[in-house]
């Protein structure tokens, strides 16, 4: 199978070529995929600061050809992080934008799509109302994606990059994804995922949290840097011990940072930002106010406001590693949603490898809580054997098998707290974990499987 490709920077060229592709999509009522060996799909990222939609054609050999990449700024993250609720005006604007995206999807005859929302909607008090308004007014079903799912989808888009000898070379790779609401940090080696963590210090969240201080202090950048350092200082010894040699950056206005770095380097290697160039950008941005950033760097206000926290975050993490700089593949949640759709549609080898990475992250949690590894491996083996032999009776699929496997590995995790009633403690620990790839509902299911592995059986009176 050929490697999936994202031609994000060639989208403008592809838009002009679309007039030729459109000829094939106008056949009356015929399945495009069956006759022309491709299907047109869409991925929508309802972000905290920007709403984006990527429409692409998926070929039968797994290649992805982008057709249209649309975006529009939004205030939903600013509302949520400042007041806890998305304001009515922002909801109207959001629904209007998504209704426009829906019309564009119809023009391209998109039959399969995925729309995901992150912390901007996820943390809003009126989340359910907002999602219902989107469904009724824009005609789109938007799923709320938690941190663990977001991390999983982002990893899917850059899996090939991690494996690539050019960036990996058998060494540990740090991936830092700076979102509007938080920062996802993961460490990968040739064996797979080694460590993962989510911190609520996203670029837009920082701006909203420290907004009052910005108006009261003359040295706001230093205040922000000290605040960030206090939140991420814990990771310094950890990353030093892991000997990080490669750094992959995602999100956080990297497009603007790359543009700035080109003015500091004579020969810039693609989307690579050297340590020296990032240091110079840091020194430049550190001295500027938001208004000065808009004026001197020519950025829009929503970009300028999150540039400073993004640069500070990237620079702070880079200083904790031995990496020569940051490689920026320019992938985002919409690329992850698109990749996941392709993996499901074509049952690619990458899909099965991703499932193994989920299990690797489960084993990491088991080690963290001092689980008896040999016992858990034995229970995992027996549980899966019974599951596979009884498939004809229970008719459950691969997803349910993954739930069982995760629960079997973690079933005794509650012994870390107390040997007595450890099954109840196991339930509580699992329920509040950020296990890569699992939604809140799936985590609750896994937690309940572990909850009833001992003597108790489920009863209607059990609140869980």
């Amino acid at each position: 199978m050929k490697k999936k490709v994202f031609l994000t920077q060639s989208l403008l060229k592809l838009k002009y070529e679309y007039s030729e592709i459109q000829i094939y999509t106008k056949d009356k009522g015929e399945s495009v995929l069956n006759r022309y060996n491709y299907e047109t799909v869409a991925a929508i990222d309802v972000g905290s600061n920007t709403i984006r939609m990527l429409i692409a054609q998926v070929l039968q050999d797994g290649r992805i050809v982008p057709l249209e990449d649309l975006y529009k700024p939004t205030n939903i993250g600013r509302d949520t992080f400042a007041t806890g609720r998305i304001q009515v005006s922002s909801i109207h604007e959001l629904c209007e934008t998504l209704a426009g995206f829906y019309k564009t999807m119809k023009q391209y005859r998109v039959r399969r799509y995925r729309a995901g929302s992150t912390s901007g909607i996820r943390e809003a008090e009126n989340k359910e109302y907002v999602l219902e308004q989107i469904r009724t007014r824009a005609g789109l079903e938007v799923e709320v994606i938690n941190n663990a799912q977001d991390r999983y989808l982002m990893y899917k888009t850059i899996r090939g990059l991690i494996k690539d000898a050019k960036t990996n070379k058998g060494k540990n790779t740090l991936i830092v994804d700076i979102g509007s609401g938080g920062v996802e940090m993961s460490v990968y080696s040739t064996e797979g995922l080694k460590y993962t963590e989510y911190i609520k210090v996203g670029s837009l969240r920082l701006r909203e949290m420290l907004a009052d201080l910005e108006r009261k202090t003359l040295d706001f950048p230093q205040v922000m840097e000290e605040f960030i350092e206090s939140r991420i200082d814990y990771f310094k010894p950890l990353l030093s011990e892991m000997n990080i040699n490669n750094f992959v950056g995602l999100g956080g206005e990297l497009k603007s940072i790359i543009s700035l770095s080109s003015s500091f380097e004579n020969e810039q290697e693609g989307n690579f930002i050297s340590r020296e160039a990032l240091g110079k950008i840091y020194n430049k941005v550190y001295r500027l106010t938001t208004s000065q950033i808009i004026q001197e760097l020519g950025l829009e206000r929503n970009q300028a406001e999150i540039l400073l926290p993004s640069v500070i975050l990237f620079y702070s993490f880079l200083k904790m590693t031995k990496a020569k700089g940051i490689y920026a593949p320019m992938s985002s949640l919409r690329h992850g949603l698109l990749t996941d759709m392709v993996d499901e549609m074509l049952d690619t080898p990458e899909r099965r490898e991703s499932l193994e990475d989920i299990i690797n992250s489960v084993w990491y949690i088991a080690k963290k809580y001092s689980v008896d590894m040999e016992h858990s491996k034995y229970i995992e083996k027996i549980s899966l054997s019974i599951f596979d032999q009884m498939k004809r009776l229970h008719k459950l699929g691969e997803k349910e098998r993954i739930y069982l496997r995760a629960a079997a590995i973690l079933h005794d995790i509650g012994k870390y707290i107390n040997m007595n009633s450890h099954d109840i403690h196991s339930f509580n620990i699992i329920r509040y974990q950020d296990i890569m790839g699992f939604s809140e509902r799936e985590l609750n299911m896994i937690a309940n499987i572990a909850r009833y592995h001992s003597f108790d059986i489920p009863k209607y009176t059990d609140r869980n």
Side-chain angles (χ1 to χ4, degrees), residues 6 41-43 54-56 58 64 114 333-343:
F6 286 104
V41 299
L54 177 61
I55 296 177
V58 178
I64 298 173
R114 274 190 74 181
L333 177 61
R334 65 193 187 284
H335 297 120
L337 291 168
L338 192 57
T339 306
D340 197 46
M341 276 193 288
V342 173
D343 286 346

Side-chain angles (χ1 to χ4, degrees), residues 318-351:
L318 184 60
K319 287 190 293 185
M320 297 181 195
T321 73
K322 296 178 181 178
K324 294 179 180 178
I326 300 175
Y327 184 82
M330 304 307 293
S331 297
S332 70
L333 177 61
R334 65 193 187 284
H335 297 120
L337 291 168
L338 192 57
T339 306
D340 197 46
M341 276 193 288
V342 173
D343 286 346
E344 291 289 337
M345 288 164 58
L346 304 178
D347 193 23
T348 62
E350 288 84 357
R351 175 176 174 271

Side-chain angles (χ1 to χ4, degrees), residues 114-143:
R114 274 190 74 181
S117 63
T118 51
S119 54
I121 290 181
R122 184 176 66 233
E123 298 180 18
E125 293 174 3
N126 54 344
K127 170 180 68 178
E128 299 299 337
Y129 174 74
V130 174
L131 293 174
E132 181 62 15
Q133 286 293 298
I134 294 171
R135 188 186 69 81
T136 55
R137 294 172 58 182
L140 293 171
E141 295 283 351
V142 176
E143 59 184 295

Side-chain angles (χ1 to χ4, degrees), residues 11 31 139 141 154 173 182 254 296 333 341 372 378 385 449:
L11 286 169
S31 171
E141 295 283 351
M154 291 306 302
T173 300
L254 271 171
E296 290 191 27
L333 177 61
M341 276 193 288
D372 184 337
Y378 181 75
S385 176
I449 297 170

Side-chain angles (χ1 to χ4, degrees), residues 95-112:
C95 290
E96 188 178 330
T97 299
L98 290 175
F101 282 4
Y102 183 74
K103 288 179 183 177
T104 305
M105 286 166 55
K106 289 294 183 185
Q107 292 170 357
Y108 279 85
R109 294 199 176 184
V110 171
R111 296 174 182 173
R112 191 193 302 257

Side-chain angles (χ1 to χ4, degrees), residues 197-215:
E197 194 71 61
Y198 176 79
I199 324 147
K200 284 190 174 182
V201 287
S203 52
L204 185 59
R205 188 192 296 274
L206 283 168
R207 271 290 178 186
E208 294 305 314
M209 287 172 63
L210 305 176
D212 289 339
L213 285 174
E214 185 175 11
R215 293 187 289 268

Side-chain angles (χ1 to χ4, degrees), residues 170-204:
K171 299 174 183 177
N172 290 336
T173 300
L174 172 66
I175 301 173
V176 174
D177 181 6
I178 298 178
S180 298
V183 176
E184 292 278 358
M185 187 195 72
S186 305
V187 178
Y188 289 88
S189 68
T190 48
E191 292 82 30
L193 178 68
K194 292 185 72 174
Y195 180 80
T196 183
E197 194 71 61
Y198 176 79
I199 324 147
K200 284 190 174 182
V201 287
S203 52
L204 185 59

